[in-house]
Amino acid sequence: VIMNRYQRPIVGFAYRMVHDRETALDLSQEIFVKAYNSLGTYDDRYKFSTWLYKIASNHVIDHLRRKEPRWVSIDTRYDDDDRPFEIADTRPNQASTLAFTQISNRIDAAIKQLPTSYRRLITLRHVNDCSYEEIAKICDIPLGTVKNRIFRAREILRRALEGVL
Amino acid sequence: VIDHPAPVDLSAYVDNEHPSYRMQEIRIHLETCEICRREIELMQQFGDALPLIPAPGLPDDFSERVLCRISPYRSHRRAAIAACLLFVAVTLVAGAALITWGIVEDASVGQRAGSAVSAAITTLLTLVRSMALVVGISWSVLVMLLQSLARLISHQGLAAPIVLLSVAAMLAYLLQRSLQSYHRGRTA
């Protein structure tokens, strides 16, 4: 029952984080196995989805850190300051000809280039429909930080997607 | 001078993350402020578009794949622990009984008890075989070990083999626990 209910959100989250189907599927399987083995630690005072997303989030972040250690430093460095991010300009030459799939690819590409900590929050918010409070619990960060990071992530994405939306 | 809400507050407004009174204040402001309304629209457009981006389809056997990684692990672990505990218990009880009845002290009785011990070994053999299947030890290796133990029983009395059997059981249990930890580590 748990798997039927959460497999799509978990795979969706993993995919948005790693941008590779096979890796996302592998990670999702590992997340469910990990959750199963940790069921004893679940505290039913909290939402099950928050607990599961926390496992998923930590697992995916661990994977990204192993694969891309440079992202760790970005994550730490930009925690709470206002420095702008250097992200690639993915704007097309002729925006008027974009089809939906192209827009999707643009958004996908822009999200992919977000720093891990921002990508995680934006994904949890928009793909998994988590509230700020849930995100704060999942990521173990203060509520104010969630609010600021989501805003900054949106600013970055807006710049990257200028002319698309 | 128009007092616009901070952009970060507009972002939280889009997510409905303000207290109701603040939501109302911003809503009233938006009725008269084109700039903030545009900001909100852009944020909402992105929020609306993101979930529409297709995520990868799940393979039909996704659930089965996960369950395959869970169920056998769970049943193996329980079966292995049960088999090992039973193995140790049977060995210890048999040893205690032999000592209590004085069989170990009396060589001739010890020889006559050979057939009884063989029967016990057969029982243990079954248990060990189950355990071996669980932990993945080659059956032929176990047969060799047990044959050596049987030779010890026939030539050197009973006390040493009983001790050896107990030690072997404990080692098997420890080995099973190590394999279990290794499997868990790989899973994690």
Side-chain angles (χ1 to χ4, degrees):
Chain A
V1 174
I2 288 170
M3 209 138 63
N4 285 339
R5 183 167 172 186
Y6 290 105
Q7 59 187 12
R8 285 191 183 280
I10 292 293
V11 172
F13 171 76
Y15 177 70
R16 293 275 172 255
M17 291 299 288
V18 299
H19 285 85
D20 178 78
R21 181 178 185 271
E22 290 309 312
T23 309
L25 289 173
D26 282 349
L27 287 173
S28 302
Q29 286 181 32
E30 289 162 10
I31 288 162
F32 280 114
V33 173
K34 209 170 186 178
Y36 181 86
N37 290 333
S38 311
L39 273 175
T41 67
Y42 170 60
D43 184 343
D44 59 11
R45 285 177 300 174
Y46 302 101
K47 279 177 74 173
F48 182 79
S49 58
T50 305
W51 178 78
L52 185 61
Y53 284 138
K54 186 167 189 159
I55 291 174
S57 170
N58 289 340
H59 193 66
V60 172
I61 293 292
D62 285 347
H63 167 81
L64 290 173
R65 283 181 175 158
R66 281 197 303 270
K67 296 295 257 184
E68 302 281 351
R70 63 197 168 88
W71 286 357
V72 176
S73 61
I74 290 171
D75 201 16
T76 309
R77 189 178 150 202
Y78 290 109
D79 255 0
D80 273 315
D81 61 31
D82 288 314
R83 279 174 286 181
F85 292 90
E86 292 296 329
I87 58 173
D89 185 354
T90 55
R91 279 176 289 184
N93 294 328
Q94 294 178 318
S96 58
T97 62
L98 284 179
F100 177 73
T101 48
Q102 288 173 302
I103 296 173
S104 299
N105 290 341
R106 287 280 313 280
I107 295 175
D108 229 15
I111 291 172
K112 191 177 176 181
Q113 291 180 61
L114 281 174
T116 309
S117 61
Y118 285 35
R119 186 161 13 123
R120 174 165 61 158
L121 267 56
I122 278 289
T123 305
L124 286 168
R125 176 71 200 103
H126 288 296
V127 176
N128 301 103
D129 205 26
C130 293
S131 69
Y132 285 10
E133 195 180 343
E134 286 172 312
I135 296 172
K137 283 178 186 163
I138 291 166
C139 303
D140 270 332
I141 52 176
L143 202 58
T145 308
V146 174
K147 188 176 162 182
N148 282 324
R149 284 187 186 176
I150 286 182
F151 164 66
R152 284 184 207 155
R154 281 182 174 146
E155 285 292 291
I156 296 163
L157 290 169
R158 198 172 80 167
R159 282 203 296 275
L161 297 169
E162 211 166 3
V164 175
L165 293 175
Chain B
V1 177
I2 300 171
D3 191 13
H4 298 284
V8 67
D9 283 339
L10 290 179
S11 170
Y13 174 83
V14 168
D15 293 326
N16 200 22
E17 287 284 350
H18 285 300
S20 56
Y21 75 90
R22 184 63 181 145
M23 291 294 288
Q24 180 65 14
E25 282 175 1
I26 296 175
R27 201 174 296 123
I28 291 168
H29 173 80
L30 290 174
E31 285 172 8
T32 55
C33 181
E34 177 65 30
I35 300 166
C36 289
R37 221 164 35 232
R38 178 67 189 143
E39 285 286 316
I40 293 280
E41 278 169 14
L42 283 171
M43 289 179 192
Q44 281 173 335
Q45 277 177 350
F46 171 76
D48 292 343
L50 188 55
L52 298 178
I53 301 173
L58 287 172
D60 292 338
D61 62 344
F62 180 82
S63 301
E64 284 73 21
R65 280 196 220 173
V66 176
L67 289 173
C68 279
R69 294 173 70 169
I70 291 172
S71 303
Y73 170 63
R74 187 187 190 192
S75 56
H76 277 193
R77 185 176 61 177
R78 286 185 176 171
I81 290 172
C84 290
L85 289 175
L86 194 59
F87 187 108
V88 173
V90 168
T91 310
L92 292 177
V93 168
L98 289 171
I99 290 165
T100 306
W101 296 335
I103 293 172
V104 173
E105 303 297 328
D106 186 336
S108 60
V109 178
Q111 283 165 4
R112 284 199 299 276
S115 57
V117 172
S118 295
I121 287 291
T122 308
T123 311
L124 291 176
L125 213 70
T126 311
L127 287 168
V128 172
R129 187 174 188 180
S130 321
M131 193 173 64
L133 288 173
V134 168
V135 298
I137 297 173
S138 162
W139 177 232
S140 57
V141 172
L142 271 173
V143 168
M144 279 172 57
L145 283 172
L146 291 165
Q147 280 173 344
S148 304
L149 284 173
R151 275 198 289 277
L152 274 172
I153 288 169
S154 59
H155 292 103
Q156 295 181 20
L158 294 167
I162 287 168
V163 171
L164 281 173
L165 275 172
S166 302
V167 171
M170 291 305 294
L171 285 175
Y173 180 64
L174 289 173
L175 176 65
Q176 186 271 331
R177 290 297 298 268
S178 306
L179 287 169
Q180 187 183 316
S181 303
Y182 172 69
H183 179 78
R184 187 179 291 167
R186 280 188 65 196
T187 304

